[in-house]
Amino acid sequence: MPHGSQSLSRAFQLIEVLSGFPNGCPLARLSELVELNKSTTHRILQALSAMGYVTHAGAAGSYRLTAKLVAVGQKALSSLNIIQVAAPFLETLNLETGETVNLSHWEADHTVLIYKLEPTRSVMRTHAYIGQQSALHCTAMGKLYLAHAAEGYVERYWANARIERLTEHTIVALDALHAELAQIRATGIAFDREENELGVSCIAAPVFDVKQRVEYAISTSLPTSRLAAQGQEALIGPIRLAARQISAELGG
């Protein structure tokens, strides 16, 4: 492949253009789209072909990407450490809001807290700890997992899980849960309004992976009194942004 950062940039530009032509794209059209002459475009395509990333398509003079790019992408995704990926964005969220910030993973029929940052503006701490398992129906992050679960999962969860009324605000009726899950899917935000712990509220947003699955979620937790004083809108924007940034890093 030709040397230099410009040649590398052109090669990736060609790859990105070809990704939009699964059945192949003619050389002439490719050179137009990347704004290079045919000889330069052909030279880069030959180099990519020699490395196994590009091959000739069915039509004469056309090229398409190979599955090697998929394999490389899968290796990159599998090597991602979710905490390393999410930590910078969660630290920013923590500093911006001053509140407790959480990252959880969906495992079986519960959430598992895998990362937590303590509040910067208050000495008050939540009781949550790394490794803690929580029910899905009474936590903001848990309800996100339910909202994005496969069809029929919510009913199976409800039939098999231990549905406890942890506080007077805990949802213990399936129809009420379905109504809230519909709202979560519509807004992209979930709330825990003292449903898991009296005096503590939580706002959560989903983290999407490359397959648009929700296996992780982030949230902020704070005293209900402070949430009432500042309003939830002050937190929703930063939480939503952090979740989108982490999702983008995961290909979501």
Side-chain angles (χ1 to χ4, degrees):
M1 182 177 292
H3 296 292
S5 59
Q6 186 180 47
S7 296
L8 183 62
S9 175
R10 288 171 173 176
F12 278 110
Q13 187 180 8
L14 271 171
I15 288 173
E16 290 180 355
V17 170
L18 280 171
S19 69
F21 294 87
N23 296 320
C25 183
L27 173 61
R29 178 60 174 153
L30 276 174
S31 64
E32 291 177 4
L33 291 172
V34 297
E35 298 181 344
L36 295 173
N37 60 54
K38 288 184 181 180
S39 61
T40 300
T41 303
H42 184 259
R43 185 169 65 249
I44 297 173
L45 286 169
Q46 290 299 103
L48 289 170
S49 178
M51 297 178 68
Y53 292 105
V54 169
T55 188
H56 288 284
S62 292
Y63 295 83
R64 64 173 177 81
L65 297 178
T66 70
K68 185 175 182 179
L69 275 171
V70 177
V72 171
Q74 289 294 339
K75 288 180 181 178
L77 287 173
S78 64
S79 68
L80 287 177
N81 181 307
I82 183 62
I83 294 178
Q84 290 179 345
V85 169
F89 304 108
L90 297 180
E91 289 168 4
T92 298
L93 178 62
N94 178 242
L95 292 173
E96 183 175 352
T97 64
E99 305 297 349
T100 301
V101 170
N102 311 290
L103 169 66
S104 76
H105 183 219
W106 180 13
E107 293 185 9
D109 289 340
H110 52 261
T111 72
V112 178
L113 186 64
I114 60 175
Y115 186 75
K116 179 185 179 184
L117 293 171
E118 299 293 354
T120 61
R121 64 167 58 175
S122 170
V123 296
M124 184 176 291
R125 302 288 189 266
T126 64
H127 295 151
Y129 56 88
I130 302 298
Q132 181 180 15
Q133 297 182 359
S134 301
L136 299 178
H137 68 284
C138 59
T139 58
M141 292 187 286
K143 285 186 282 186
L144 279 171
Y145 299 137
L146 290 175
H148 293 89
E151 184 176 355
Y153 176 81
V154 175
E155 286 74 18
R156 292 194 299 273
Y157 168 80
W158 198 261
N160 298 321
R162 186 177 179 182
I163 307 300
E164 293 185 274
R165 187 185 291 276
L166 300 179
T167 77
E168 60 186 287
H169 306 289
T170 305
I171 295 175
V172 291
L174 182 56
D175 57 348
L177 178 63
H178 272 303
E180 182 151 350
L181 297 182
Q183 186 174 15
I184 290 170
R185 285 188 289 269
T187 63
I189 293 291
F191 295 91
D192 164 6
R193 300 177 175 89
E194 297 190 348
E195 297 161 53
N196 188 57
E197 181 181 346
L198 285 175
V200 178
S201 292
C202 186
I203 304 175
V207 173
F208 294 92
D209 66 13
V210 68
K211 295 183 179 180
Q212 292 301 296
R213 297 173 302 191
V214 177
E215 296 184 350
Y216 298 95
I218 66 171
S219 71
T220 58
S221 303
L222 68 162
T224 301
S225 58
R226 191 154 67 236
L227 177 61
Q230 66 177 314
Q232 63 188 37
E233 294 303 322
L235 296 173
I236 289 176
I239 295 168
R240 196 191 299 274
L241 175 61
R244 286 175 176 171
Q245 290 171 322
I246 298 169
S247 297
E249 290 292 317
L250 298 178

